[in-house]
Amino acid sequence: SATGLEKRGVNPGPVGYRWEPSADACAAVAAFWDALCELQTVPETKISTTLLSLPGIGPGKARQHHDRFAAVVELMSRNLCLFRGDTVFGLVHFHPAYQRNFIHPLHKPAFGHLPPQSWLRSMLRHNGQADVADTLTEEDLDMSNYQRRSPHTMINVLRASQLNAAVGAKSIVDLSLDNGTTEQASGIPLYSRNAIRLAQQNDRAQLQTALEAEMIQSLGVDSVSE
């Protein structure tokens, strides 16, 4: 994990894979805190980052499954921020049907999630790519959600040092939005690059086919439920 950040003082190390199959939110939150405590007590050379799999939380692709995922990970994120843990760890949330437009708040940052999709054009302009911002369709921008789609609900728990190295500790800037307001945003070059890369995918159906194949493999079934 943390590969490619050696020049910024972060050495790659082993990934800790943790698994909690329960559909119970309390069990999932307990597993989440176990993962945090483990990272806090184990040196980075032994566990660089942790990938916590929660296949019982919001399994499937229907809106109700996504809403369940969103509610449980919001509980975890609020728990972490309540104890100021967001200064020590960063979270990256994944779901098979990840859709930023279904995450609350819709037009404000949500800890562990992609920036609001309504910000993407402004982020591209801020990054010096106004021509791209004006030509991408909403369907193109929607492809950005594939950054966070996975076979089942997962949370990548990152050390703050890794996040700072990846996006820059001072990467927070004032972003002028299309509605005339100004918001603070971070990671603009990274999210802009990913938005363009995914929008340029020639065979978009192939992304979904590959995702569903991984879902089937992880579940050990013949088809993926809606």
Side-chain angles (χ1 to χ4, degrees):
S1 178
T3 56
L5 300 177
E6 294 87 348
K7 293 182 180 179
R8 301 183 184 182
V10 178
N11 294 320
V15 177
Y17 293 96
R18 303 295 178 259
W19 177 276
E20 173 50 65
S22 176
D24 180 70
C26 292
V29 171
F32 170 70
W33 277 106
D34 284 346
L36 293 178
C37 291
E38 182 181 36
L39 273 183
Q40 226 175 0
T41 56
V42 174
E44 192 170 353
T45 53
K46 291 189 176 180
I47 301 180
S48 174
T49 182
T50 294
L51 192 62
L52 175 62
S53 294
L54 302 168
I57 301 298
K61 299 184 295 179
R63 176 64 184 269
Q64 66 192 55
H65 301 136
H66 189 279
D67 287 348
R68 171 68 171 170
F69 146 77
V72 174
V73 298
E74 182 178 355
L75 177 62
M76 295 174 179
S77 295
R78 286 176 178 264
N79 266 204
L80 183 63
C81 293
L82 179 65
F83 293 100
R84 306 286 179 88
D86 53 319
T87 63
V88 181
F89 298 110
L91 305 180
V92 182
H93 301 310
F94 298 87
H95 185 266
Y98 188 92
Q99 175 59 256
R100 181 57 179 87
N101 283 338
F102 294 162
I103 299 296
H104 177 80
L106 182 59
H107 300 296
K108 294 283 187 178
F111 189 63
H113 289 284
L114 290 174
Q117 194 163 313
S118 59
W119 289 18
L120 286 180
R121 295 186 194 279
S122 299
M123 295 176 87
L124 286 165
R125 293 190 184 100
H126 186 94
N127 203 44
Q129 296 161 307
D131 55 333
V132 178
D134 294 334
T135 56
L136 291 181
T137 66
E138 287 302 315
E139 183 181 17
D140 291 333
L141 296 178
D142 195 61
M143 293 297 293
S144 289
N145 289 297
Y146 274 97
Q147 297 174 70
R148 299 296 183 86
R149 290 184 182 171
S150 60
H152 50 252
T153 293
M154 294 191 292
I155 302 174
N156 189 191
V157 184
L158 298 163
R159 300 176 189 267
S161 59
Q162 297 167 350
L163 283 176
N164 291 338
V167 303
K170 299 180 180 179
S171 71
I172 298 177
V173 300
D174 289 332
L175 177 67
S176 299
L177 301 179
D178 291 344
N179 62 6
T181 63
T182 300
E183 296 280 358
Q184 288 194 319
S186 64
I188 289 179
L190 173 66
Y191 291 121
S192 297
R193 181 171 64 250
N194 289 345
I196 293 172
R197 184 177 298 170
L198 285 163
Q200 292 175 340
Q201 288 291 319
N202 294 323
D203 189 353
R204 298 182 176 184
Q206 186 177 9
L207 284 176
Q208 186 62 31
T209 299
L211 172 62
E212 293 188 3
E214 289 188 9
M215 292 171 67
I216 291 170
Q217 184 178 17
S218 69
L219 293 171
V221 297
D222 295 326
S223 63
V224 178
S225 64
E226 295 294 330

